[in-house]
């Protein structure tokens, strides 16, 4: 990594600013002696609010009050304003966060491709570094097949689990870890803002009274298909209702986030814990003629919130473009563990008020849907799967310029996000992209082509879950 040296120097300065605590790179466990001789440890709480658009959060300018607890955390944290997700749906993005790699590098690209063997996961490194590791929540790709569980001492993820049960488990875990000498890494995953958007009792204030339309309490995949067939939601009242339900779900997830944050305070863990709150991707509400996510690389789908609090950090905002692949290196850096060769870089300098280095960032969407069938209609042992590529999109970011390639048609589109954040005006008049951006994208695509995903056959329980999530027919 080009910036490794700078990052390490900055981290030392950062640690000095925290009060003279010594770095502990490579030493087990992650417990350091401060200048006063008092032993202290480090923990990381990583919360993913699935499908949460940055522009629906108060700390990103939304005025509906959907996220009071995150907003409070943001006031004492660094809020990253321009965060690019490496894809626009859950599986490849969370695999990127856990590996620091782009989707083709780690291999979890679509529902039949688990994380590739030999790819090192964050929890593995952290466990080797002496931390206890736990994953609790509603992450939908929790099956052994996808191999997210590798490196976790406790892996309690299931997408059908309620947010309240998730929170109760997380609070129990925090109370158990509070008195221990070794640090911990806790991943909490809330699925509420993902479809179906359900009516939440505690979010009643978000729903317009007197609404009389089709979207009474739930906006689900079937309605999405119907709206797509009709040409996306056109009726303002219908769209407003859909967004009301979505905001209500964010409000619900934020309530439980608040309970987790309160528990950190109650257990006196704040001064030794990095807290990271992010979303894996956003959501479309008819922009560009699209609903939901996993079907574009527009900003509605790939611009995500990222809020990081670390003890001693300088609260503020970071406007430089960064990526979710940076989370991996940031966590290692905070913990004082040796940096690894990844596609990301540590954001610790940004927590001390320094701008991250200017870089070229990428995002990709390789959606494959699969039809599962029995050829003769009788013998289930002869089950076959037919894959069909739905999307093959690649995009590159440099500064505020964004070039998107639809590899299936070979068409490019160029946007200047500084003046056109909604990507309404394609700047290419003759279809020919600027040489530097095209060159960077070509080079990246070529580099990614040397990785081949491991295509495997998931068992019936995985297939059923993926079917209910709409990933297969
Ligand atoms: Zn997701």
């Amino acid at each position: 990594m080009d910036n490794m040296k700078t990052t390490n120097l900055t981290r030392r300065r950062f640690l000095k600013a925290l009060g003279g605590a010594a770095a502990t790179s490579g030493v087990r466990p992650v417990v350091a002696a401060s200048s006063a001789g008092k032993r202290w440890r480090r923990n990381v709480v990583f919360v993913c609010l699935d499908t949460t658009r940055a522009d629906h959060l108060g700390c990103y300018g939304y005025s509906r009050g959907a996220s009071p607890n995150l907003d409070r955390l943001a006031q004492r944290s660094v809020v990253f304003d321009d965060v690019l997700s490496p894809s626009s749906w859950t599986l490849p993005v969370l695999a990127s966060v856990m590996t620091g790699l782009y989707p083709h590098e780690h291999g979890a690209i679509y529902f039949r491709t688990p994380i590739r063997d030999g790819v090192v996961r964050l929890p593995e490194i952290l466990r080797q570094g002496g931390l206890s590791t736990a994953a609790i929540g509603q992450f939908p790709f929790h099956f052994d097949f996808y191999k997210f569980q590798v490196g976790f001492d406790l892996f309690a993820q299931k997408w059908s689990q309620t947010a309240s049960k998730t929170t109760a488990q997380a609070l129990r875990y925090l109370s158990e870890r509070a008195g221990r000498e070794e640090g911990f890494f806790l991943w909490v995953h809330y699925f509420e803002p993902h479809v179906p958007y359900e009516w939440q009792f505690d979010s009643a204030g978000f729903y317009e009274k007197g609404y009389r339309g089709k979207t009474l309490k739930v906006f689900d995949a079937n309605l999405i298909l119907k709206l797509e067939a009709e040409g996306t939601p056109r009726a303002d009242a219908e769209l407003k209702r859909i967004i009301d339900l979505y905001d209500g779900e964010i409000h619900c997830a934020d309530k439980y986030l608040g309970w987790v944050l309160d528990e950190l305070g109650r257990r006196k863990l704040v001064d030794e814990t990095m807290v990271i709150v992010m979303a894996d991707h956003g959501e479309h509400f008819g922009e560009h003629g699209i609903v939901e996510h996993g079907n574009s690389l527009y900003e509605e789908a790939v611009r995500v919130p990222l809020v990081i609090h670390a003890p001693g950090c300088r609260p503020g905002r970071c406007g430089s473009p960064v990526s979710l692949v940076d989370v991996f290196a940031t966590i290692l850096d905070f913990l004082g563990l040796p940096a690894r060769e990844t596609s990301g870089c540590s954001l610790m300098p940004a927590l001390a008020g320094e701008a991250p280095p200017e870089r070229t960032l990428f995002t990709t969407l390789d959606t494959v849907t699969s039809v599962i069938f029995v050829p003769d209609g009788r013998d289930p042992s002869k089950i076959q799967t037919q894959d069909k590529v739905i999307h093959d999109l690649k995009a590159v970011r440099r500064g505020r310029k964004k070039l998107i390639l639809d590899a299936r048609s070979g068409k490019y589109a160029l946007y200047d996000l500084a003046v056109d954040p909604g990507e309404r005006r394609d700047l290419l008049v003759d279809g020919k992209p600027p040489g530097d951006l095209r060159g960077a994208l070509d080079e990246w695509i070529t580099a990614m082509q040397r990785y081949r995903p491991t295509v495997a056959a998931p068992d019936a329980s995985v297939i059923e879950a993926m079917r209910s999530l709409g990933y297969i027919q």
Side-chain angles (χ1 to χ4, degrees):
M1 286 162 56
D2 295 336
N3 64 323
M4 192 183 296
K5 194 171 177 185
T6 309
T7 300
N8 286 341
L9 285 172
T10 306
R11 188 170 67 79
R12 275 200 290 276
R13 285 208 302 277
F14 181 80
L15 289 170
K16 197 173 172 190
L18 297 187
T24 58
S25 297
V27 179
R28 300 173 50 115
V30 183
V31 176
S34 75
S35 55
K38 184 188 168 196
R39 290 174 70 76
W40 63 288
R41 62 176 185 165
R42 292 180 173 194
N43 321 302
V44 176
V45 173
F46 161 65
V47 181
C48 180
L49 307 175
D50 209 294
T51 322
T52 301
R53 276 172 64 144
D55 61 358
H56 280 242
L57 299 169
C59 51
Y60 287 89
Y62 203 47
S63 60
R64 293 193 82 187
S67 54
N69 292 296
L70 178 58
D71 300 345
R72 255 194 305 280
L73 174 71
Q75 284 172 2
R76 54 189 179 87
S77 306
V78 174
V79 178
F80 292 86
D81 280 310
D82 191 355
V83 185
L84 182 65
S85 179
S87 188
S88 61
W89 67 294
T90 315
L91 174 66
V93 177
L94 264 300
S96 285
V97 170
M98 291 297 154
T99 61
L101 302 173
Y102 282 116
H104 287 264
E105 295 171 306
H106 60 61
I109 297 167
Y110 73 105
F111 94 99
R112 290 215 295 141
T113 57
I115 298 174
R116 186 181 295 112
D117 287 342
V119 171
V120 178
R121 281 80 151 167
L122 179 67
E124 289 182 283
I125 302 168
L126 302 189
R127 191 155 71 177
Q128 283 168 9
L131 279 84
S132 166
T133 53
I136 294 170
Q138 303 156 277
F139 179 60
F141 298 92
H142 57 275
F143 301 95
D144 289 353
F145 175 79
Y146 294 106
K147 301 181 183 173
F148 277 88
Q149 76 281 14
V150 174
F152 281 106
D153 298 312
L154 170 66
F155 192 81
Q157 298 272 14
K158 195 165 189 181
W159 74 283
S160 55
Q161 178 165 287
T162 62
S164 60
K165 187 174 177 193
T166 293
T167 308
Q169 280 184 323
L171 298 196
R172 197 177 316 124
Y173 180 81
L174 289 174
S175 70
E176 285 169 2
R177 303 313 307 176
R180 308 288 182 89
E181 183 172 277
E182 71 271 26
F184 64 85
F185 169 69
L186 171 62
W187 164 22
V188 185
H189 198 99
Y190 289 113
F191 204 59
E192 263 54 33
H194 195 285
V195 289
Y197 313 143
E198 294 177 326
W199 197 92
Q200 297 287 346
F201 181 78
D202 287 344
S203 303
F206 286 85
Y207 313 131
E208 193 168 290
K209 292 183 177 61
Y211 167 81
R212 298 280 182 274
K214 297 175 186 171
T215 317
L216 287 176
K217 287 193 175 179
V218 174
F219 177 53
D220 65 13
N222 290 329
L223 185 55
I224 289 171
L225 293 175
K226 191 167 182 303
L227 291 169
E228 281 180 336
E230 289 172 357
T232 71
R234 301 227 177 264
D236 288 350
E238 208 67 39
L239 183 58
K240 167 101 175 44
R241 178 63 166 192
I242 290 168
I243 292 173
D244 283 355
L245 288 167
Y246 175 72
D247 286 345
E249 292 278 35
I250 292 176
H251 184 251
C252 175
D254 179 82
K255 177 183 77 173
Y256 290 114
L257 168 67
W259 291 12
V260 172
L261 297 176
D262 288 349
E263 189 69 9
L264 288 175
R266 194 175 302 116
R267 301 290 172 189
K268 300 190 173 12
L269 294 167
V270 174
D271 291 341
E272 59 189 48
T273 304
M274 168 180 270
V275 178
I276 301 172
V277 183
M278 54 153 259
D280 49 351
H281 50 79
E283 189 83 322
H284 279 278
F285 292 108
E287 303 94 341
H288 301 279
I290 299 169
V291 290
E292 234 214 298
H293 60 269
N295 43 22
S296 93
L297 291 179
Y298 291 118
E299 293 296 279
E300 291 85 13
V302 295
R303 183 191 167 220
V304 291
L306 176 63
V307 175
I308 303 181
H309 177 267
C313 72
R314 185 188 295 178
R317 305 195 77 95
C318 174
S320 306
V322 300
S323 168
L324 291 184
V325 295
D326 299 333
V327 169
F328 181 100
T330 305
I331 290 174
L332 292 190
D333 200 3
F334 169 71
L335 293 171
L337 294 170
R340 313 276 300 206
E341 195 71 32
T342 68
S343 290
C345 74
S346 171
L347 300 177
M348 285 297 283
L351 299 188
E354 292 182 22
E358 283 187 20
R359 321 177 272 150
T360 305
L361 300 174
F362 301 94
T363 182
T364 178
L365 179 66
D366 310 79
T367 313
V368 177
T369 191
S370 298
V371 179
I372 296 166
F373 62 102
V374 179
D376 63 2
R378 289 194 296 273
D379 185 355
S381 67
K382 292 179 181 165
I383 191 167
Q384 288 187 16
T385 306
Q386 213 167 52
D387 290 344
K388 185 180 171 196
V389 176
I390 304 294
H391 297 101
D392 186 357
L393 302 172
K394 307 278 182 281
V396 57
R397 278 282 311 270
R398 264 191 188 161
R400 304 294 177 196
K401 292 283 196 307
K402 179 178 176 184
L403 179 69
I404 303 176
L405 167 66
D406 182 341
R408 297 177 73 206
S409 66
K411 285 187 179 164
Y412 290 90
L414 177 68
Y415 301 99
D416 183 351
L417 300 178
V419 295
D420 180 25
E423 294 157 292
R424 308 263 175 230
R425 251 187 345 277
D426 178 4
L427 298 174
L428 299 182
V429 282
D430 56 1
K432 287 187 180 167
D436 61 331
L437 283 174
R438 180 179 178 164
L441 195 54
D442 284 349
E443 200 174 304
W444 186 72
I445 291 170
T446 302
M448 294 300 110
Q449 280 170 346
R450 67 193 170 92
Y451 300 100
R452 289 269 174 265
T454 307
V455 181
D459 65 22
S461 62
V462 179
I463 290 171
E464 192 44 48
M466 294 307 105
R467 196 195 308 276
S468 66
L469 286 165
Y471 295 128
I472 59 175
Q473 299 167 6

